[in-house]
Amino acid sequence: MPVGLTSRTEDMLHFLIVGGGIAGSACAFSLQQAGHQVTVLEQSAGPHKSRGGLRSPPNMTRILNQWGLEEGLSRIAVKANRFTFLSGSDGENLGLFVLHDKLMKSLLADFYYIQHGDLLTVFQDLAKKSGVKFQYSTKVTSIDPWAGTVTTCSGAKMSADVIIGADGYKSVVRPVVVGPQALKGVRDRRVSVGFTIPTDSMRPHEDLEPFTESPEWTVWLADDCSMHGLLTSSKRDYVLVLNLPMEEEHVQDPWAERPPISSELLRIDKFEPRAQKLIRLARSMTKTDCIHHEPFENWVHESGKVVLIGEAAHPSVPNGTHNASMALEDAMTLATLFSLPATRSQTPMLLAAYEELRQPRCATTQASERQKRDFVCIPNGPEQRARDAGLRAAREQELLDWDDASEGYLRVTWEEFIDLFSYDAREAVEDWWTKWGKAMHNPRARPCSTSNMSKFEPPLLEVDVVREMP
Ligand SMILES: Cc1cc2nc3c(=O)[nH]c(=O)nc-3n(C[C@H](O)[C@H](O)[C@H](O)COP(=O)(O)OP(=O)(O)OC[C@H]3O[C@@H](n4cnc5c(N)ncnc54)[C@H](O)[C@@H]3O)c2cc1C
């Protein structure tokens, strides 16, 4: 059994997971390891093999390591060394963030780039080996949360103790859980366009050759748009993402591969020659838009039988740093909670704990991701000049050794990153259990009103365990 997962020894549950993407497959694998029976219903005909890139920040790599995937990861991932910011129009090196060895060692996990399809394959293989059943070409069309059943496109009805909505950005499970809030949102004024170039086709171009070797994450900051690039698949592919103003109202299936979009729509003229050359090497593109919602109030239906994870629970700007990391933190949190010695009747309490642990963390991360995306897309003008001046001023500090840089600079620059990177999802559950495990084992502990799923009432007489939920 992979490190970090113990198995519940009684009251095993049947979980039905809607969606076999990264959140669904990782959650399936980890819940099955925790002793439960898991079935995944996936609408696509088989495991999709997207060649787009994901970033695995230390908070995600930590989970992969805890699941014993460290060795496998080193075969498919590229270890990042720095983030470099270039002027989009002329390629001037504006600034950088160095992932100093000392910092990464203290975080006990590295920052990696991984191909989306590679990571999905890892989880689907692990899940299948653990005994998870995958049903492909099975689109879920409706859910009855009180009965704990789903209906599929063929009209079949399936039931489970818990239904997990891991069906991504356009989730069908979400409206059932969050209600009218699912319909309220504002369309992002930007669209994200991704494409992958084999590094073999870049090497003949002398000016592109350095991008085929350097494990840095390169970000071009252009007028009202940006592009970033990184290596995946043991440096066989270079993955690029453009963030552009949305030109058309029409929206296509997210992540669907299409022929290259016209140069004009791609704002190619805003970029320096190397970036233009890279864009012209693309043979297909994926275009993904998004709708911003206020963080959803509920992730668990009041029946206590349906829960959301991944993009279904917390849709974020596409191609951000933390989309996959939040999905894996969700999976680790849920599986660790369901590996605790609890009974079947305590399922709603564990789901409430999941919601309580995950909501604030994901809301902070969603806001931070959007703000970082906007920071790299500022239109030319005073705000952009101030940003570039700040990056230039920080360059000297960044080039210094970690020990020599000023403490004030490091605090301001790294505080937010360190908060995001140092989170340990398993440890968060362990802390929760230390506080609440004793109360859960008291037979008088009971779920309170189903409209307030995020709390359960500890027994009133035992004053030592009566305290605020974390
Ligand atoms: C094909 C694809 C390629 C992607 N490529 C990238 C990339 O290159 N870079 C990047 O940063 N992010 C990519 N993403 C998004 C990324 O996976 C997510 O942002 C993040 O990992 C969280 O994933 P998720 O599992 O919550 O959602 P998703 O990855 O969107 O997975 C949701 C899954 O649910 C399935 N599904 C949806 N509705 C139903 C239904 N009604 N019934 C049954 N199944 C359903 C979908 O087919 C999909 O497999 C991609 C997503 C997909 C689906």
Side-chain angles (χ1 to χ4, degrees):
M1 178 182 301
V3 188
L5 288 176
T6 52
S7 195
R8 189 154 131 176
T9 49
E10 55 186 41
D11 275 356
M12 308 318 175
L13 300 172
H14 179 214
F15 288 86
L16 206 50
I17 302 187
V18 184
I22 284 180
S25 302
C27 196
F29 147 70
S30 51
L31 281 169
Q32 186 87 25
Q33 288 288 345
H36 302 284
Q37 187 202 336
V38 186
T39 307
V40 177
L41 308 178
E42 166 58 44
Q43 65 181 2
S44 55
H48 34 69
K49 190 85 178 97
S50 148
R51 286 175 64 211
L54 290 175
R55 273 149 277 156
S56 176
N59 48 309
M60 170 165 154
T61 308
R62 187 170 301 113
I63 295 173
L64 297 171
N65 294 345
Q66 285 165 344
W67 284 340
L69 302 176
E70 202 161 3
E71 206 190 308
L73 194 62
S74 64
R75 280 196 295 272
I76 55 169
V78 175
K79 187 172 141 186
N81 66 349
R82 60 169 64 185
F83 311 156
T84 304
F85 296 96
L86 304 179
S87 155
S89 56
D90 61 13
E92 179 201 342
N93 198 323
L94 292 171
L96 72 164
F97 286 122
V98 179
L99 298 173
H100 293 277
D101 275 351
K102 204 158 191 173
L103 170 67
M104 301 317 284
K105 282 207 176 92
S106 72
L107 289 168
L108 301 171
D110 285 307
F111 193 115
Y112 284 111
Y113 317 131
I114 314 176
Q115 196 185 72
H116 181 270
D118 282 346
L119 189 64
L120 189 59
T121 304
V122 166
F123 284 125
Q124 295 212 348
D125 289 352
L126 278 171
K128 285 172 192 167
K129 271 188 208 138
S130 315
V132 172
K133 290 190 188 78
F134 277 79
Q135 251 181 253
Y136 292 103
S137 304
T138 307
K139 185 179 172 117
V140 169
T141 50
S142 65
I143 293 109
D144 181 339
W146 295 104
T149 57
V150 303
T151 305
T152 70
C153 50
S154 67
K157 242 187 190 138
M158 299 174 77
S159 65
D161 296 305
V162 179
I163 297 164
I164 299 180
D167 49 345
Y169 175 68
K170 293 193 172 171
S171 169
V172 295
V173 186
R174 184 192 296 151
V176 174
V177 175
V178 312
Q181 214 195 342
L183 303 172
K184 290 189 194 140
V186 179
R187 186 170 298 289
D188 192 352
R189 62 170 287 263
R190 295 187 188 283
V191 66
S192 172
V193 179
F195 49 103
T196 302
I197 309 168
T199 43
D200 279 349
S201 67
M202 292 163 62
R203 283 200 186 87
H205 305 267
E206 206 181 320
D207 52 348
L208 300 185
E209 221 262 330
F211 296 115
T212 67
E213 282 307 321
S214 172
E216 67 198 293
W217 180 32
T218 306
V219 188
W220 283 264
L221 314 180
D223 179 14
D224 204 19
C225 53
S226 68
M227 180 166 92
H228 52 91
L230 49 82
L231 286 163
T232 61
S233 306
S234 308
K235 302 190 177 177
R236 280 192 303 277
D237 283 331
Y238 195 70
V239 172
L240 282 147
V241 173
L242 277 154
N243 288 306
L244 304 164
M246 167 89 83
E247 297 277 357
E248 311 139 287
E249 260 314 295
H250 92 263
V251 177
Q252 67 178 39
D253 278 352
W255 308 111
E257 284 210 24
R258 298 285 143 86
I261 300 160
S262 75
S263 305
E264 206 177 296
L265 273 183
L266 290 172
R267 304 251 166 150
I268 195 161
D269 57 318
K270 303 267 182 195
F271 291 94
E272 54 131 337
R274 290 177 306 169
Q276 291 196 11
K277 223 185 238 184
L278 285 167
I279 297 170
R280 289 206 175 92
L281 286 172
R283 293 288 160 263
S284 66
M285 295 184 167
T286 60
K287 183 166 146 239
T288 309
D289 65 331
C290 86
I291 290 176
H292 297 292
H293 300 268
E294 285 298 312
F296 300 126
E297 280 162 28
N298 306 312
W299 290 10
V300 180
H301 187 267
E302 53 184 327
S303 63
K305 291 180 182 169
V306 188
V307 59
L308 300 174
I309 64 169
E311 296 281 338
H314 40 79
S316 192
V317 285
N319 285 298
T321 299
H322 284 279
N323 305 61
S325 86
M326 289 301 111
L328 292 201
E329 287 186 7
D330 292 348
M332 176 58 113
T333 305
L334 210 51
T336 310
L337 283 164
F338 278 92
S339 68
L340 295 170
T343 60
R344 179 175 290 266
S345 65
Q346 287 171 323
T347 299
M349 293 181 200
L350 296 178
L351 293 178
Y354 160 77
E355 187 184 79
E356 190 102 358
L357 286 166
R358 295 301 301 147
Q359 274 180 333
R361 164 88 176 151
C362 291
T364 311
T365 311
Q366 273 171 302
S368 155
E369 290 278 272
R370 191 172 167 187
Q371 189 228 329
K372 288 197 178 68
R373 197 280 316 268
D374 290 344
F375 175 81
V376 296
C377 291
I378 301 174
N380 281 353
E383 210 188 326
Q384 161 264 328
R385 285 194 290 279
R387 175 200 64 195
D388 294 356
L391 285 168
R392 284 190 193 98
R395 248 184 85 81
E396 299 311 310
Q397 286 284 333
E398 271 301 320
L399 288 168
L400 294 175
D401 207 53
W402 181 258
D403 288 332
D404 298 331
S406 91
E407 212 176 289
Y409 168 75
L410 291 178
R411 195 176 329 104
V412 169
T413 311
W414 284 101
E415 200 167 35
E416 192 192 340
F417 281 108
I418 289 173
D419 274 354
L420 286 171
F421 290 171
S422 61
Y423 187 83
D424 185 327
R426 190 175 63 180
E427 208 172 85
V429 176
E430 285 163 3
D431 290 348
W432 177 87
W433 183 242
T434 307
K435 272 186 185 160
W436 297 103
K438 194 173 162 194
M440 272 191 66
H441 274 135
N442 189 309
R444 282 168 296 164
R446 61 200 185 279
C448 64
S449 103
T450 47
S451 63
N452 181 6
M453 284 296 304
S454 69
K455 304 280 185 287
F456 74 91
E457 291 173 4
L460 291 174
L461 293 177
E462 298 209 350
V463 283
D464 58 331
V465 292
V466 179
R467 37 185 136 138
E468 290 279 298
M469 282 286 279

